[in-house]
Structure formats: structure tokens, C-alpha cells
mmCIF file of all heavy atoms in Angstrom:
data_model
loop_
_atom_site.group_PDB
_atom_site.id
_atom_site.type_symbol
_atom_site.label_atom_id
_atom_site.label_comp_id
_atom_site.label_asym_id
_atom_site.label_seq_id
_atom_site.Cartn_x
_atom_site.Cartn_y
_atom_site.Cartn_z
ATOM 1 N N PRO C 1 -2.813 3.636 -5.270
ATOM 2 C CA PRO C 1 -2.452 5.037 -5.021
ATOM 3 C C PRO C 1 -2.611 5.400 -3.545
ATOM 4 O O PRO C 1 -3.283 4.704 -2.784
ATOM 5 C CB PRO C 1 -3.470 5.802 -5.872
ATOM 6 C CG PRO C 1 -4.677 4.916 -5.886
ATOM 7 C CD PRO C 1 -4.165 3.497 -5.845
ATOM 8 N N LYS C 2 -2.005 6.501 -3.169
ATOM 9 C CA LYS C 2 -2.183 7.032 -1.818
ATOM 10 C C LYS C 2 -3.565 7.655 -1.699
ATOM 11 O O LYS C 2 -4.021 8.354 -2.607
ATOM 12 C CB LYS C 2 -1.108 8.086 -1.534
ATOM 13 C CG LYS C 2 -1.123 8.629 -0.114
ATOM 14 C CD LYS C 2 0.047 9.580 0.117
ATOM 15 C CE LYS C 2 0.057 10.090 1.553
ATOM 16 N NZ LYS C 2 1.220 10.985 1.806
ATOM 17 N N GLU C 3 -4.246 7.395 -0.590
ATOM 18 C CA GLU C 3 -5.574 7.965 -0.376
ATOM 19 C C GLU C 3 -5.466 9.479 -0.174
ATOM 20 O O GLU C 3 -4.562 9.949 0.528
ATOM 21 C CB GLU C 3 -6.247 7.334 0.853
ATOM 22 C CG GLU C 3 -6.487 5.833 0.724
ATOM 23 C CD GLU C 3 -7.526 5.489 -0.323
ATOM 24 O OE1 GLU C 3 -8.504 6.252 -0.491
ATOM 25 O OE2 GLU C 3 -7.367 4.447 -0.987
ATOM 26 N N ILE C 4 -6.391 10.216 -0.783
ATOM 27 C CA ILE C 4 -6.333 11.682 -0.682
ATOM 28 C C ILE C 4 -7.552 12.281 0.007
ATOM 29 O O ILE C 4 -7.615 13.495 0.184
ATOM 30 C CB ILE C 4 -6.162 12.325 -2.072
ATOM 31 C CG1 ILE C 4 -7.334 11.981 -3.000
ATOM 32 C CG2 ILE C 4 -4.833 11.910 -2.689
ATOM 33 C CD1 ILE C 4 -7.307 12.744 -4.319
ATOM 34 N N LYS C 5 -8.520 11.445 0.420
ATOM 35 C CA LYS C 5 -9.636 11.990 1.189
ATOM 36 C C LYS C 5 -9.087 12.516 2.515
ATOM 37 O O LYS C 5 -8.194 11.913 3.106
ATOM 38 C CB LYS C 5 -10.698 10.914 1.429
ATOM 39 C CG LYS C 5 -11.993 11.456 2.005
ATOM 40 C CD LYS C 5 -13.126 10.461 1.873
ATOM 41 C CE LYS C 5 -14.443 11.102 2.323
ATOM 42 N NZ LYS C 5 -15.592 10.223 2.088
ATOM 43 N N PRO C 6 -9.601 13.653 3.015
ATOM 44 C CA PRO C 6 -9.041 14.237 4.236
ATOM 45 C C PRO C 6 -8.980 13.254 5.399
ATOM 46 O O PRO C 6 -9.953 12.556 5.683
ATOM 47 C CB PRO C 6 -10.010 15.398 4.538
ATOM 48 C CG PRO C 6 -10.535 15.795 3.194
ATOM 49 C CD PRO C 6 -10.667 14.505 2.432
ATOM 50 N N GLN C 7 -7.820 13.206 6.049
ATOM 51 C CA GLN C 7 -7.569 12.359 7.219
ATOM 52 C C GLN C 7 -7.846 10.882 6.957
ATOM 53 O O GLN C 7 -8.250 10.147 7.855
ATOM 54 C CB GLN C 7 -8.386 12.824 8.442
ATOM 55 C CG GLN C 7 -7.931 14.134 9.042
ATOM 56 C CD GLN C 7 -8.457 15.319 8.261
ATOM 57 O OE1 GLN C 7 -9.646 15.414 8.001
ATOM 58 N NE2 GLN C 7 -7.571 16.229 7.887
ATOM 59 N N GLU C 8 -7.620 10.435 5.726
ATOM 60 C CA GLU C 8 -7.738 9.009 5.426
ATOM 61 C C GLU C 8 -6.339 8.416 5.413
ATOM 62 O O GLU C 8 -5.541 8.706 4.519
ATOM 63 C CB GLU C 8 -8.437 8.786 4.080
ATOM 64 C CG GLU C 8 -8.579 7.321 3.715
ATOM 65 C CD GLU C 8 -9.204 6.509 4.842
ATOM 66 O OE1 GLU C 8 -10.408 6.675 5.089
ATOM 67 O OE2 GLU C 8 -8.465 5.723 5.489
ATOM 68 N N PHE C 9 -6.058 7.602 6.407
ATOM 69 C CA PHE C 9 -4.709 7.072 6.588
ATOM 70 C C PHE C 9 -4.586 5.606 6.185
ATOM 71 O O PHE C 9 -3.501 5.031 6.252
ATOM 72 C CB PHE C 9 -4.277 7.251 8.048
ATOM 73 C CG PHE C 9 -4.346 8.676 8.521
ATOM 74 C CD1 PHE C 9 -5.329 9.078 9.431
ATOM 75 C CD2 PHE C 9 -3.457 9.621 8.042
ATOM 76 C CE1 PHE C 9 -5.402 10.392 9.865
ATOM 77 C CE2 PHE C 9 -3.524 10.944 8.475
ATOM 78 C CZ PHE C 9 -4.497 11.337 9.388
ATOM 79 N N ARG C 10 -5.696 4.983 5.816
ATOM 80 C CA ARG C 10 -5.635 3.588 5.384
ATOM 81 C C ARG C 10 -5.001 3.489 3.993
ATOM 82 O O ARG C 10 -4.817 4.482 3.300
ATOM 83 C CB ARG C 10 -7.036 2.971 5.361
ATOM 84 C CG ARG C 10 -7.662 2.787 6.728
ATOM 85 C CD ARG C 10 -9.115 2.358 6.653
ATOM 86 N NE ARG C 10 -9.970 3.449 6.182
ATOM 87 C CZ ARG C 10 -11.289 3.333 6.017
ATOM 88 N NH1 ARG C 10 -11.892 2.182 6.256
ATOM 89 N NH2 ARG C 10 -11.996 4.365 5.605
ATOM 90 N N VAL C 11 -4.700 2.273 3.577
ATOM 91 C CA VAL C 11 -4.128 2.038 2.252
ATOM 92 C C VAL C 11 -4.780 0.792 1.666
ATOM 93 O O VAL C 11 -5.152 -0.137 2.398
ATOM 94 C CB VAL C 11 -2.587 1.893 2.335
ATOM 95 C CG1 VAL C 11 -2.169 0.704 3.189
ATOM 96 C CG2 VAL C 11 -1.971 1.804 0.945
ATOM 97 N N GLY C 12 -4.928 0.780 0.340
ATOM 98 C CA GLY C 12 -5.689 -0.280 -0.323
ATOM 99 C C GLY C 12 -5.039 -1.648 -0.299
ATOM 100 O O GLY C 12 -5.724 -2.662 -0.358
ATOM 101 N N MET C 13 -3.707 -1.702 -0.237
ATOM 102 C CA MET C 13 -2.986 -2.977 -0.194
ATOM 103 C C MET C 13 -1.922 -2.933 0.889
ATOM 104 O O MET C 13 -1.175 -1.967 0.998
ATOM 105 C CB MET C 13 -2.318 -3.281 -1.541
ATOM 106 C CG MET C 13 -3.270 -3.590 -2.667
ATOM 107 S SD MET C 13 -2.384 -4.034 -4.206
ATOM 108 C CE MET C 13 -1.765 -5.681 -3.781
ATOM 109 N N THR C 14 -1.836 -3.971 1.678
ATOM 110 C CA THR C 14 -0.736 -4.124 2.620
ATOM 111 C C THR C 14 0.461 -4.713 1.881
ATOM 112 O O THR C 14 0.329 -5.276 0.791
ATOM 113 C CB THR C 14 -1.116 -5.071 3.767
ATOM 114 O OG1 THR C 14 -1.347 -6.377 3.210
ATOM 115 C CG2 THR C 14 -2.368 -4.594 4.499
ATOM 116 N N PRO C 15 1.657 -4.610 2.452
ATOM 117 C CA PRO C 15 2.799 -5.306 1.842
ATOM 118 C C PRO C 15 2.564 -6.806 1.696
ATOM 119 O O PRO C 15 3.001 -7.404 0.708
ATOM 120 C CB PRO C 15 3.944 -4.999 2.819
ATOM 121 C CG PRO C 15 3.568 -3.678 3.423
ATOM 122 C CD PRO C 15 2.069 -3.743 3.574
ATOM 123 N N ASP C 16 1.868 -7.416 2.656
ATOM 124 C CA ASP C 16 1.573 -8.846 2.537
ATOM 125 C C ASP C 16 0.696 -9.133 1.321
ATOM 126 O O ASP C 16 0.904 -10.128 0.618
ATOM 127 C CB ASP C 16 0.879 -9.351 3.803
ATOM 128 C CG ASP C 16 1.847 -9.574 4.950
ATOM 129 O OD1 ASP C 16 3.073 -9.596 4.698
ATOM 130 O OD2 ASP C 16 1.384 -9.723 6.096
ATOM 131 N N ALA C 17 -0.289 -8.264 1.064
ATOM 132 C CA ALA C 17 -1.138 -8.438 -0.113
ATOM 133 C C ALA C 17 -0.326 -8.266 -1.393
ATOM 134 O O ALA C 17 -0.505 -9.010 -2.371
ATOM 135 C CB ALA C 17 -2.296 -7.438 -0.085
ATOM 136 N N ALA C 18 0.580 -7.292 -1.387
ATOM 137 C CA ALA C 18 1.446 -7.100 -2.548
ATOM 138 C C ALA C 18 2.307 -8.333 -2.797
ATOM 139 O O ALA C 18 2.463 -8.783 -3.943
ATOM 140 C CB ALA C 18 2.329 -5.870 -2.337
ATOM 141 N N ARG C 19 2.825 -8.897 -1.720
ATOM 142 C CA ARG C 19 3.653 -10.099 -1.846
ATOM 143 C C ARG C 19 2.865 -11.253 -2.463
ATOM 144 O O ARG C 19 3.351 -11.981 -3.336
ATOM 145 C CB ARG C 19 4.204 -10.500 -0.470
ATOM 146 C CG ARG C 19 5.237 -11.625 -0.522
ATOM 147 C CD ARG C 19 5.597 -12.050 0.912
ATOM 148 N NE ARG C 19 6.073 -10.937 1.705
ATOM 149 C CZ ARG C 19 7.324 -10.487 1.703
ATOM 150 N NH1 ARG C 19 8.221 -11.079 0.937
ATOM 151 N NH2 ARG C 19 7.671 -9.479 2.472
ATOM 152 N N GLU C 20 1.615 -11.415 -2.004
ATOM 153 C CA GLU C 20 0.768 -12.486 -2.541
ATOM 154 C C GLU C 20 0.493 -12.269 -4.031
ATOM 155 O O GLU C 20 0.537 -13.213 -4.834
ATOM 156 C CB GLU C 20 -0.552 -12.543 -1.771
ATOM 157 C CG GLU C 20 -0.434 -13.021 -0.342
ATOM 158 C CD GLU C 20 -0.264 -14.526 -0.224
ATOM 159 O OE1 GLU C 20 -0.559 -15.231 -1.207
ATOM 160 O OE2 GLU C 20 0.178 -14.992 0.837
ATOM 161 N N ALA C 21 0.196 -11.032 -4.406
ATOM 162 C CA ALA C 21 -0.101 -10.745 -5.810
ATOM 163 C C ALA C 21 1.115 -10.991 -6.689
ATOM 164 O O ALA C 21 1.004 -11.546 -7.789
ATOM 165 C CB ALA C 21 -0.579 -9.304 -5.954
ATOM 166 N N VAL C 22 2.291 -10.594 -6.217
ATOM 167 C CA VAL C 22 3.521 -10.822 -6.972
ATOM 168 C C VAL C 22 3.778 -12.324 -7.113
ATOM 169 O O VAL C 22 4.194 -12.806 -8.176
ATOM 170 C CB VAL C 22 4.711 -10.110 -6.287
ATOM 171 C CG1 VAL C 22 6.040 -10.535 -6.923
ATOM 172 C CG2 VAL C 22 4.539 -8.593 -6.381
ATOM 173 N N ALA C 23 3.514 -13.069 -6.048
ATOM 174 C CA ALA C 23 3.698 -14.519 -6.097
ATOM 175 C C ALA C 23 2.767 -15.173 -7.115
ATOM 176 O O ALA C 23 3.071 -16.254 -7.644
ATOM 177 C CB ALA C 23 3.472 -15.127 -4.712
ATOM 178 N N HIS C 24 1.636 -14.519 -7.394
ATOM 179 C CA HIS C 24 0.703 -15.016 -8.406
ATOM 180 C C HIS C 24 1.084 -14.556 -9.814
ATOM 181 O O HIS C 24 0.346 -14.805 -10.769
ATOM 182 C CB HIS C 24 -0.715 -14.552 -8.082
ATOM 183 C CG HIS C 24 -1.405 -15.389 -7.055
ATOM 184 N ND1 HIS C 24 -2.594 -16.055 -7.291
ATOM 185 C CD2 HIS C 24 -1.069 -15.696 -5.771
ATOM 186 C CE1 HIS C 24 -2.975 -16.715 -6.211
ATOM 187 N NE2 HIS C 24 -2.057 -16.502 -5.266
ATOM 188 N N GLY C 25 2.200 -13.875 -9.931
ATOM 189 C CA GLY C 25 2.683 -13.478 -11.243
ATOM 190 C C GLY C 25 2.270 -12.096 -11.700
ATOM 191 O O GLY C 25 2.453 -11.743 -12.870
ATOM 192 N N HIS C 26 1.733 -11.289 -10.815
ATOM 193 C CA HIS C 26 1.269 -9.956 -11.181
ATOM 194 C C HIS C 26 2.291 -8.893 -10.787
ATOM 195 O O HIS C 26 3.128 -9.108 -9.905
ATOM 196 C CB HIS C 26 -0.083 -9.664 -10.521
ATOM 197 C CG HIS C 26 -1.103 -10.723 -10.799
ATOM 198 N ND1 HIS C 26 -1.588 -10.976 -12.051
ATOM 199 C CD2 HIS C 26 -1.692 -11.632 -9.972
ATOM 200 C CE1 HIS C 26 -2.455 -11.979 -12.002
ATOM 201 N NE2 HIS C 26 -2.523 -12.394 -10.751
ATOM 202 N N ALA C 27 2.194 -7.738 -11.426
ATOM 203 C CA ALA C 27 3.024 -6.592 -11.073
ATOM 204 C C ALA C 27 2.213 -5.670 -10.170
ATOM 205 O O ALA C 27 1.045 -5.391 -10.445
ATOM 206 C CB ALA C 27 3.458 -5.849 -12.329
ATOM 207 N N VAL C 28 2.835 -5.214 -9.095
ATOM 208 C CA VAL C 28 2.168 -4.310 -8.155
ATOM 209 C C VAL C 28 2.923 -2.991 -8.135
ATOM 210 O O VAL C 28 4.134 -2.961 -7.914
ATOM 211 C CB VAL C 28 2.110 -4.909 -6.736
ATOM 212 C CG1 VAL C 28 1.476 -3.920 -5.766
ATOM 213 C CG2 VAL C 28 1.339 -6.221 -6.734
ATOM 214 N N ILE C 29 2.202 -1.901 -8.376
ATOM 215 C CA ILE C 29 2.803 -0.569 -8.326
ATOM 216 C C ILE C 29 2.095 0.236 -7.241
ATOM 217 O O ILE C 29 0.871 0.289 -7.183
ATOM 218 C CB ILE C 29 2.731 0.143 -9.693
ATOM 219 C CG1 ILE C 29 1.315 0.131 -10.251
ATOM 220 C CG2 ILE C 29 3.678 -0.511 -10.682
ATOM 221 C CD1 ILE C 29 1.175 0.869 -11.568
ATOM 222 N N VAL C 30 2.879 0.840 -6.371
ATOM 223 C CA VAL C 30 2.367 1.543 -5.200
ATOM 224 C C VAL C 30 2.907 2.963 -5.221
ATOM 225 O O VAL C 30 4.109 3.173 -5.427
ATOM 226 C CB VAL C 30 2.790 0.829 -3.894
ATOM 227 C CG1 VAL C 30 2.284 1.579 -2.670
ATOM 228 C CG2 VAL C 30 2.299 -0.618 -3.895
ATOM 229 N N GLN C 31 2.032 3.940 -4.994
ATOM 230 C CA GLN C 31 2.482 5.331 -4.934
ATOM 231 C C GLN C 31 3.328 5.539 -3.688
ATOM 232 O O GLN C 31 3.006 5.032 -2.600
ATOM 233 C CB GLN C 31 1.294 6.282 -4.922
ATOM 234 C CG GLN C 31 1.693 7.757 -4.980
ATOM 235 C CD GLN C 31 0.491 8.688 -4.936
ATOM 236 O OE1 GLN C 31 -0.656 8.250 -5.001
ATOM 237 N NE2 GLN C 31 0.750 9.980 -4.825
ATOM 238 N N THR C 32 4.386 6.268 -3.822
ATOM 239 C CA THR C 32 5.269 6.512 -2.685
ATOM 240 C C THR C 32 4.491 7.131 -1.517
ATOM 241 O O THR C 32 3.671 8.035 -1.702
ATOM 242 C CB THR C 32 6.451 7.420 -3.081
ATOM 243 O OG1 THR C 32 7.324 7.546 -1.958
ATOM 244 C CG2 THR C 32 5.994 8.797 -3.526
ATOM 245 N N GLY C 33 4.733 6.622 -0.332
ATOM 246 C CA GLY C 33 4.081 7.121 0.874
ATOM 247 C C GLY C 33 2.667 6.615 1.084
ATOM 248 O O GLY C 33 2.026 6.981 2.075
ATOM 249 N N ALA C 34 2.166 5.737 0.205
ATOM 250 C CA ALA C 34 0.770 5.300 0.312
ATOM 251 C C ALA C 34 0.478 4.598 1.631
ATOM 252 O O ALA C 34 -0.614 4.711 2.176
ATOM 253 C CB ALA C 34 0.416 4.380 -0.863
ATOM 254 N N GLY C 35 1.456 3.873 2.158
ATOM 255 C CA GLY C 35 1.198 3.082 3.357
ATOM 256 C C GLY C 35 1.648 3.714 4.655
ATOM 257 O O GLY C 35 1.435 3.133 5.735
ATOM 258 N N VAL C 36 2.226 4.906 4.582
ATOM 259 C CA VAL C 36 2.832 5.509 5.782
ATOM 260 C C VAL C 36 1.811 5.706 6.898
ATOM 261 O O VAL C 36 2.095 5.457 8.078
ATOM 262 C CB VAL C 36 3.520 6.848 5.417
ATOM 263 C CG1 VAL C 36 3.937 7.601 6.673
ATOM 264 C CG2 VAL C 36 4.732 6.591 4.531
ATOM 265 N N GLY C 37 0.602 6.157 6.540
ATOM 266 C CA GLY C 37 -0.411 6.402 7.559
ATOM 267 C C GLY C 37 -0.833 5.155 8.315
ATOM 268 O O GLY C 37 -1.313 5.231 9.448
ATOM 269 N N ALA C 38 -0.648 3.993 7.687
ATOM 270 C CA ALA C 38 -0.983 2.726 8.330
ATOM 271 C C ALA C 38 0.256 2.025 8.889
ATOM 272 O O ALA C 38 0.167 0.886 9.341
ATOM 273 C CB ALA C 38 -1.694 1.811 7.334
ATOM 274 N N GLY C 39 1.386 2.719 8.826
ATOM 275 C CA GLY C 39 2.607 2.168 9.409
ATOM 276 C C GLY C 39 3.428 1.305 8.479
ATOM 277 O O GLY C 39 4.288 0.536 8.939
ATOM 278 N N PHE C 40 3.199 1.412 7.150
ATOM 279 C CA PHE C 40 3.958 0.632 6.173
ATOM 280 C C PHE C 40 4.843 1.571 5.345
ATOM 281 O O PHE C 40 4.357 2.545 4.786
ATOM 282 C CB PHE C 40 3.022 -0.139 5.244
ATOM 283 C CG PHE C 40 2.078 -1.068 5.953
ATOM 284 C CD1 PHE C 40 0.703 -0.867 5.891
ATOM 285 C CD2 PHE C 40 2.557 -2.138 6.691
ATOM 286 C CE1 PHE C 40 -0.176 -1.714 6.545
ATOM 287 C CE2 PHE C 40 1.683 -3.000 7.349
ATOM 288 C CZ PHE C 40 0.312 -2.785 7.283
ATOM 289 N N THR C 41 6.130 1.278 5.273
ATOM 290 C CA THR C 41 7.063 2.113 4.532
ATOM 291 C C THR C 41 7.157 1.669 3.075
ATOM 292 O O THR C 41 6.764 0.553 2.719
ATOM 293 C CB THR C 41 8.458 2.054 5.158
ATOM 294 O OG1 THR C 41 8.982 0.719 4.987
ATOM 295 C CG2 THR C 41 8.408 2.383 6.647
ATOM 296 N N ASP C 42 7.722 2.552 2.246
ATOM 297 C CA ASP C 42 7.983 2.173 0.857
ATOM 298 C C ASP C 42 8.885 0.940 0.804
ATOM 299 O O ASP C 42 8.714 0.065 -0.056
ATOM 300 C CB ASP C 42 8.653 3.322 0.112
ATOM 301 C CG ASP C 42 7.696 4.478 -0.193
ATOM 302 O OD1 ASP C 42 6.485 4.320 0.051
ATOM 303 O OD2 ASP C 42 8.177 5.526 -0.665
ATOM 304 N N GLU C 43 9.834 0.869 1.715
ATOM 305 C CA GLU C 43 10.757 -0.264 1.740
ATOM 306 C C GLU C 43 10.023 -1.576 2.008
ATOM 307 O O GLU C 43 10.401 -2.631 1.480
ATOM 308 C CB GLU C 43 11.833 -0.047 2.806
ATOM 309 C CG GLU C 43 12.844 1.054 2.469
ATOM 310 C CD GLU C 43 12.259 2.466 2.595
ATOM 311 O OE1 GLU C 43 11.218 2.635 3.284
ATOM 312 O OE2 GLU C 43 12.824 3.396 1.997
ATOM 313 N N ASP C 44 8.972 -1.522 2.829
ATOM 314 C CA ASP C 44 8.181 -2.723 3.080
ATOM 315 C C ASP C 44 7.580 -3.254 1.785
ATOM 316 O O ASP C 44 7.530 -4.469 1.552
ATOM 317 C CB ASP C 44 7.055 -2.424 4.079
ATOM 318 C CG ASP C 44 7.562 -2.115 5.478
ATOM 319 O OD1 ASP C 44 8.645 -2.610 5.838
ATOM 320 O OD2 ASP C 44 6.865 -1.375 6.204
ATOM 321 N N TYR C 45 7.097 -2.330 0.941
ATOM 322 C CA TYR C 45 6.495 -2.753 -0.331
ATOM 323 C C TYR C 45 7.561 -3.244 -1.309
ATOM 324 O O TYR C 45 7.341 -4.231 -2.036
ATOM 325 C CB TYR C 45 5.701 -1.598 -0.946
ATOM 326 C CG TYR C 45 4.399 -1.314 -0.214
ATOM 327 C CD1 TYR C 45 4.318 -0.273 0.713
ATOM 328 C CD2 TYR C 45 3.268 -2.094 -0.433
ATOM 329 C CE1 TYR C 45 3.143 -0.008 1.388
ATOM 330 C CE2 TYR C 45 2.089 -1.839 0.241
ATOM 331 C CZ TYR C 45 2.024 -0.800 1.154
ATOM 332 O OH TYR C 45 0.846 -0.561 1.835
#
């Protein structure tokens, strides 16, 4: 999910981490805009 603590711009998974998890056979679901504060777009995920 997207972080909601005030001024928290980090995100729990990078697109690279999502890619690794998918490669291991898992499904990754990311809330829209979760990575924007860290410079990662929805398209990256």
C-alpha cells in the first residue's frame, strides 16, 4: 500500500523487488501512486 504517515515518501517494494517476487511465482499488488514519492511510477510496477 501507499504510505500514509505524514511526509512519508518511501515505499515498501521497489519495482525491482516486485519483479523478483513475480519471478518466484508470486502475485504482487501495489496501490496506485505508492512509489511516486520515491520516483517510481505505476508503469514501472
Side-chain angles (χ1 to χ4, degrees):
K2 185 175 182 178
E3 298 292 325
I4 61 172
K5 190 164 186 174
Q7 290 80 51
E8 180 51 71
F9 304 109
R10 292 172 289 180
V11 62
M13 291 183 72
T14 64
D16 282 346
R19 188 186 304 277
E20 291 283 343
V22 170
H24 279 239
H26 307 295
V28 177
I29 52 178
V30 179
Q31 185 181 352
T32 184
V36 170
F40 303 116
T41 67
D42 287 353
E43 290 73 20
D44 292 332
Y45 287 99

